[in-house]
């Protein structure tokens, strides 16, 4: 009995899963991969312990690994209790931008009886378990099976790391995110430098009209236009946009060729598209065009700063801010509404010509984390639409949360439009989403991605608001846009559309790819090797 209570399995269970239990209690959202990776490491370390039982150095190496895992668990526990979240790359970015004094002040402010006592409890029990840990000396059939499983898990872990090119889904908690952050940091700096050199040293021309102008380009996240009342959805999910419908040009037939944020925005925000197949790293960015054309530029974001192409674009803007820095990298309760003061400040800035990019978290999973609880509007089945009438209560809950996130994004966009109405010079706002989202619209699935892609993942909103000064300055462009709302367009033509909208004259501009040009020519719309119009659209119910 004594050997059973001191078995190494108890030490592994506690060290790996006590922090996970605390994270589950205190955090609103934990990735499913977090549990899977901890289970994998439990089997792997437990099995390998049998192999190290008679050898001093392998056994010490095992203990060293457990010490590192204990440290990781302590960090995970502290972060969850203090901030109600889990570590992300944004957390490390926030830490890296703090000096020792700021870190000391940070710790002194957030230290509490609760998090200190839980930390001491975890470290004390972990120490006692490791100190007295026993590994069974004789291997029976059961133990041999566990050794075999450990070897299998080790191979699976290596394959997953190579396939994903990251470790945070394989190594749990703090350690996984920290390793990825350190590995990627140097590559990020090099990519940022390369982007700055490309946009500034590439030989191209760009100029703007000699009048004061203000433009806001808002990029939504995971937004399916079929869930917007502006586009005919029966629920009033976009009341603020509906209220200014007469001042909007809502394009009704725009799709993205990519149902993933990074892939989509790499093409949306550069001259690369699905037709020219230009290397992203050799493609000038829209930010670079606006900078050369004489605009003062902003990049304001609620997304993580350590992701491409956002990090590079932010660095090439004249002004940039990621609100994750205001929240020490914590994603919980970091709503898009916190961007509004920064947007207002940029709109009111004295620059005569400005382009303000705003990147939202929008409707990214988990949907109910994207809006404050008091902004929950949809809570039942009223006017709900789904792939079948008898969807489960769980599915209804996801649909309601998603529609609430759409409603909250409408508030952000609507408030920004209201701020722009005070601008006397020519002003316009462009709003689109990086990709759509399947939320039990056409099948039993929620989310997005290249596998099993549906039209709901590709059909995005594409909306232009403009004031009277803009219409007077550019009446021809305004009329052409109004005439083209039903034209089939691709989101990766934003590079050209944005130049047309702002009337930038650039050697990189192609009028045939701009919906606001009389020369616009529709392109074949291919998403992951499938023709949207002849294949994907026809499959949709």
């Amino acid at each position: 009995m004594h050997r059973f209570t001191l078995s190494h399995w108890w030490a592994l269970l506690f060290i790996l899963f006590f922090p996970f239990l605390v994270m589950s209690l205190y955090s609103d959202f934990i990735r499913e991969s977090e549990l899977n990776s901890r289970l994998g490491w439990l089997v792997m370390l437990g099995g390998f312990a049998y192999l190290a039982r008679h050898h001093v150095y392998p056994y010490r190496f095992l203990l060293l690994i457990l010490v590192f895992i204990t440290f990781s668990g302590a960090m995970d526990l502290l972060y969850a209790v203090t901030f109600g979240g889990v570590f992300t790359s944004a957390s490390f970015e926030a830490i890296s931008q703090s000096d020792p004094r700021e870190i000391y002040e940070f710790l002194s402010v957030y230290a509490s009886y609760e998090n200190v006592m839980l930390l001491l409890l975890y470290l004390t029990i972990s120490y006692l378990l490791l100190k007295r840990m026993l590994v069974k000396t004789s291997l029976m059939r059961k133990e041999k099976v566990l050794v075999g499983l450990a070897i299998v898990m080790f191979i699976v872990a290596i394959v997953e790391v190579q396939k994903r090119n990251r470790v945070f889904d394989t190594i749990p908690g703090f350690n996984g995110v920290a390793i990825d952050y350190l590995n990627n940091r140097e590559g990020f700096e090099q990519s940022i430098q390369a982007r700055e050199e490309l946009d500034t040293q590439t030989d191209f021309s760009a100029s703007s009209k000699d009048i004061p102008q203000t433009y806001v380009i808002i990029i939504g996240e995971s937004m399916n236009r079929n869930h917007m009342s502006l586009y005919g959805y029966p629920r009033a999910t976009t009341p603020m946009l509906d209220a200014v419908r007469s001042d909007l040009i809502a394009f009704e037939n725009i799709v993205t060729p990519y149902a993933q944020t990074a892939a989509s925005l790499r093409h949306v925000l550069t001259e690369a598209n699905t037709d020219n197949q230009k290397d992203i790293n050799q493609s000038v960015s829209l930010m670079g065009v606006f900078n050369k054309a004489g605009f003062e530029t902003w990049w304001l974001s609620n997304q993580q700063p350590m992701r491409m192409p956002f990090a590079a674009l932010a660095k090439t803007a004249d002004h940039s801010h990621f609100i994750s820095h205001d929240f020490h990298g914590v994603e919980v309760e970091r709503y898009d509404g916190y961007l509004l003061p920064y947007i207002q400040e940029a709109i009111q800035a004295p620059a005569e010509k400005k382009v303000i990019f705003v990147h939202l978290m929008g409707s990214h999973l988990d949907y109910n984390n994207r809006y404050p609880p008091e902004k929950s509007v949809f809570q039942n089945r009223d006017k709900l639409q789904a792939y079948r009438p008898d969807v489960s209560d769980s599915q209804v809950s996801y649909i309601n949360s998603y529609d609430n996130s759409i409603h909250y994004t409408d508030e952000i966009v609507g408030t920004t439009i209201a701020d722009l109405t005070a601008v006397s010079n020519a002003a316009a706002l462009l709003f689109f989403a990086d990709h759509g989202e399947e939320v039990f619209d056409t099948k039993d699935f929620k989310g997005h991605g290249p596998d099993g892609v549906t039209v709901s993942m590709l059909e995005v909103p594409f909306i232009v608001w403009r004031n009277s000064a803009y219409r007077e300055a550019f009446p021809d462009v305004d009329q052409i846009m109004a005439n083209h709302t039903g034209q089939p367009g691709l989101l990766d033509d934003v590079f050209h559309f944005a130049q047309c909208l702002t009337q930038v004259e650039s050697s990189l501009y192609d009028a045939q790819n701009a919906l606001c040009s009389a020369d616009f020519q529709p392109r074949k719309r291919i998403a992951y090797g499938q023709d949207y119009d002849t294949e994907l659209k026809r499959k949709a119910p």
Side-chain angles (χ1 to χ4, degrees):
M1 185 67 181
H2 174 71
R3 295 188 63 84
F4 173 76
T5 57
L6 296 180
S7 168
H8 69 288
W9 289 103
W10 294 114
L12 292 174
L13 275 169
F14 181 80
I15 289 170
L16 282 166
F17 286 94
F18 183 75
F20 182 79
L21 175 63
V22 173
M23 291 161 66
S24 300
L25 292 174
Y26 284 87
S27 302
D28 288 342
F29 174 72
I30 300 178
R31 292 183 297 271
E32 185 179 337
S33 60
E34 186 70 26
L35 174 61
N36 295 337
S37 63
R38 289 176 188 271
L39 288 170
W41 277 85
L42 174 67
V43 173
M44 187 164 57
L45 292 174
F48 282 149
Y50 292 122
L51 297 179
R53 66 196 188 284
H54 293 314
H55 307 281
V56 175
Y57 291 111
Y59 189 74
R60 288 179 178 176
F61 181 69
L62 174 66
L63 287 176
L64 182 62
I65 292 174
L66 291 176
V67 169
F68 275 107
I69 293 176
T70 302
F71 173 76
S72 176
M75 295 297 100
D76 293 329
L77 181 153
L78 272 178
Y79 200 80
V81 176
T82 306
F83 299 111
V86 296
F87 270 101
T88 66
S89 60
S91 312
F92 286 93
E93 182 71 5
I95 293 171
S96 71
Q97 294 191 358
S98 303
D99 58 35
R101 179 180 178 82
E102 289 173 327
I103 293 174
Y104 173 76
E105 292 176 349
F106 171 83
L107 293 174
S108 63
V109 167
Y110 287 106
S112 69
Y113 176 82
E114 184 179 21
N115 56 29
V116 170
M117 291 305 296
L118 275 172
L119 176 64
L120 290 176
L121 175 68
Y122 175 65
L123 291 177
T124 301
I125 295 178
S126 296
Y127 171 76
L128 293 174
L129 287 171
L130 290 174
K131 183 179 180 181
R132 306 180 65 187
M133 183 176 73
L134 297 176
V135 180
K136 191 175 180 180
T137 55
S138 59
L139 294 188
M140 308 299 289
R141 182 177 179 181
K142 180 178 68 175
E143 286 74 27
K144 291 178 180 178
V145 169
L146 289 170
V147 171
L149 286 175
I151 294 172
V152 170
M153 293 306 303
F154 181 70
I155 295 172
V156 169
I158 292 175
V159 170
E160 285 296 304
V161 169
Q162 290 180 336
K163 182 174 71 175
R164 297 173 181 270
N165 198 29
R166 67 187 188 207
V167 302
F168 81 78
D169 282 331
T170 305
I171 298 178
F174 173 91
N175 281 347
V177 180
I179 292 170
D180 272 348
Y181 176 82
L182 294 173
N183 286 341
N184 293 335
R185 183 70 195 184
E186 183 177 352
F188 265 78
E189 294 297 337
Q190 292 173 350
S191 297
I192 289 169
Q193 183 179 355
R195 168 54 59 189
E196 291 175 332
E197 291 175 354
L198 177 67
D199 284 353
T200 56
Q201 297 178 14
T202 300
D203 184 20
F204 72 96
S205 61
S207 60
S208 57
K209 302 297 183 184
D210 193 22
I211 60 171
Q213 303 167 72
T214 300
Y215 300 103
V216 178
I217 299 175
I218 300 182
I219 305 169
E221 167 73 47
S222 304
M223 198 166 187
N224 175 356
R225 67 168 178 260
N226 302 305
H227 279 257
M228 301 172 66
S229 52
L230 183 72
Y231 283 92
Y233 190 58
R235 286 179 158 181
T237 52
T238 54
M240 293 189 73
L241 289 176
D242 295 339
V244 294
R245 182 67 180 85
S246 60
D247 295 323
L248 301 177
I249 296 175
F251 293 86
E252 302 165 354
N253 197 7
I254 308 298
V255 299
T256 174
Y258 301 98
Q260 300 157 284
T261 298
S264 175
L265 294 187
R266 284 191 184 106
H267 292 81
V268 167
L269 299 174
T270 70
E271 59 181 321
N273 63 34
T274 52
D275 280 359
N276 63 32
Q277 295 292 315
K278 192 165 184 179
D279 185 346
I280 299 296
N281 296 320
Q282 298 300 320
S283 301
V284 174
S285 75
L286 190 55
M287 188 75 76
V289 172
F290 285 135
N291 285 334
K292 180 161 281 193
F295 286 92
E296 194 163 332
T297 52
W298 280 257
W299 183 270
L300 308 174
S301 177
N302 190 19
Q303 297 260 347
Q304 292 191 32
M306 288 291 291
R307 288 181 179 171
M308 287 305 216
F310 324 135
L313 289 170
K315 288 290 186 180
T316 56
D318 295 313
H319 314 275
S320 67
H321 186 70
F322 290 84
I323 62 170
S324 61
H325 296 155
D326 303 339
F327 288 78
H328 309 292
V330 181
E331 290 189 3
V332 178
E333 297 184 356
R334 198 183 74 210
Y335 306 119
D336 288 333
Y338 289 108
L339 282 167
L340 288 173
Y342 296 100
I343 299 172
Q344 293 163 356
E345 182 182 356
I347 290 173
Q348 295 168 5
E352 283 200 346
K353 301 177 184 180
K354 48 196 164 188
V355 178
I356 304 157
F357 288 86
V358 181
H359 194 190
L360 307 178
M361 276 297 286
S363 299
H364 196 287
L365 271 169
D366 194 355
Y367 311 132
N368 60 2
N369 286 337
R370 303 299 161 229
Y371 56 90
E374 65 271 16
K375 299 290 185 179
S376 179
V377 177
F378 307 104
Q379 301 176 0
N380 53 43
R381 293 174 178 260
D382 186 39
K383 297 182 179 179
L384 178 144
Q385 288 187 339
Y387 74 105
R388 53 186 291 178
D390 58 340
V391 289
S392 68
D393 289 342
S394 174
Q395 291 171 324
V396 169
S397 177
Y398 276 110
I399 296 170
N400 283 337
S401 296
Y402 184 74
D403 287 349
N404 284 326
S405 71
I406 299 286
H407 191 275
Y408 188 60
T409 296
D410 171 74
E411 182 177 322
I412 306 304
V413 178
T415 301
T416 304
I417 289 175
D419 292 335
L420 283 171
T421 58
V423 176
S424 59
N425 57 256
L429 176 144
L430 169 62
F431 171 66
F432 61 87
D434 55 356
H435 54 77
E437 188 87 343
E438 175 69 44
V439 193
F440 309 110
D441 299 293
T442 64
K443 64 178 182 178
D444 183 11
F445 182 80
K446 65 180 186 299
H448 59 269
D451 300 315
V453 67
T454 67
V455 293
S456 297
M457 300 178 192
L458 305 177
E459 296 176 345
V460 295
F462 199 85
I463 302 162
V464 174
W465 173 92
R466 62 272 187 260
N467 65 1
S468 57
Y470 178 91
R471 299 181 203 186
E472 292 171 6
F474 310 119
D476 293 340
V477 174
D478 194 68
Q479 186 59 53
I480 292 169
M481 286 193 293
N483 293 339
H484 282 180
T485 55
Q487 288 282 354
L490 274 165
L491 194 65
D492 62 2
D493 280 338
V494 164
F495 180 82
H496 303 284
F497 181 89
Q499 292 181 66
C500 178
L501 177 68
T502 58
Q503 285 295 277
V504 166
E505 295 182 7
S506 160
S507 57
L508 301 177
Y509 171 65
D510 186 346
Q512 292 187 345
N513 289 348
L515 269 166
C516 49
S517 167
D519 297 323
F520 172 73
Q521 294 293 323
R523 295 160 51 207
K524 199 169 185 178
R525 302 192 287 183
I526 305 296
Y528 303 107
Q530 299 182 74
D531 190 302
Y532 167 82
D533 295 289
T534 63
E535 297 179 65
L536 290 169
K537 190 65 176 176
R538 290 183 179 180
K539 293 178 186 177

